[in-house]
């Protein structure tokens, strides 16, 4: 019913930048929070940043000052600008959205994208 498609991952040298994009489509009535999470090999998935529909943001300590999350509510899209990348930022980055469906407008359900690989070389 809802698809989240990410793009923008890749290989970059330490100190470089990448911009991730995520677009949601389907039977969407409204999207509340959208965010980015990441999972490195052998580690649990962790929050990177979230953004509510009114623009309030939250960042993991590791992302503060280097990453910026933004949204385009008209496009049901969320972006993550990542600067000053470090090798420890290497992970699969996944988009998440809390969505209320046209068929169930009173509840919000979390949806996930398939993930995009970010690799930072030293």
């Amino acid at each position: 019913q809802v698809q989240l498609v990410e793009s923008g991952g890749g290989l970059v040298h330490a100190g470089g930048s990448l911009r991730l994009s995520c677009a949601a489509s389907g039977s969407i009535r409204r999207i509340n929070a959208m965010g980015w999470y990441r999972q490195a090999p052998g580690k649990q998935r962790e929050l990177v940043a979230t953004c509510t529909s009114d623009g309030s943001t939250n960042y993991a300590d590791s992302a503060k000052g280097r990453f910026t999350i933004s949204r385009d509510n008209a496009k049901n899209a969320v972006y993550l600008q990542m600067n000053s990348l470090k090798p420890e930022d290497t992970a699969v980055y996944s988009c998440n959205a809390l969505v209320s469906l046209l068929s169930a407008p009173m509840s919000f359900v979390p949806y996930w994208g398939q993930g995009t690989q970010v690799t930072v070389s030293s």
Side-chain angles (χ1 to χ4, degrees):
Q1 289 178 305
V2 175
Q3 297 80 40
L4 272 63
V5 178
E6 300 113 331
S7 61
L11 173 63
V12 65
H13 291 298
S17 298
L18 284 173
R19 185 174 187 256
L20 305 182
S21 299
C22 172
S25 62
S27 303
I28 299 169
R29 183 187 73 88
R30 181 171 174 265
I31 299 179
N32 190 348
M34 298 186 80
W36 291 95
Y37 292 74
R38 69 186 183 185
Q39 186 167 19
K43 295 186 177 181
Q44 290 188 331
R45 184 165 59 193
E46 63 178 4
L47 169 85
V48 178
T50 60
C51 184
T52 63
S53 57
D54 63 0
S56 297
T57 58
N58 180 52
Y59 293 92
D61 287 343
S62 59
K64 290 177 181 177
R66 300 187 300 128
F67 296 0
T68 303
I69 190 170
S70 60
R71 282 180 65 167
D72 185 333
N73 291 331
K75 296 181 178 179
N76 289 331
V78 65
Y79 309 96
L80 185 69
Q81 177 66 43
M82 303 186 294
N83 299 328
S84 302
L85 282 161
K86 305 174 181 179
E88 51 263 43
D89 294 318
T90 296
V92 174
Y93 286 69
S94 299
C95 172
N96 171 272
L98 282 175
V99 180
S100 69
L101 302 176
L102 294 172
S103 59
M106 300 306 294
S107 63
F108 284 87
V109 179
Y111 288 88
W112 291 91
Q114 81 286 354
T116 185
Q117 177 70 46
V118 171
T119 302
V120 185
S121 63
S122 58

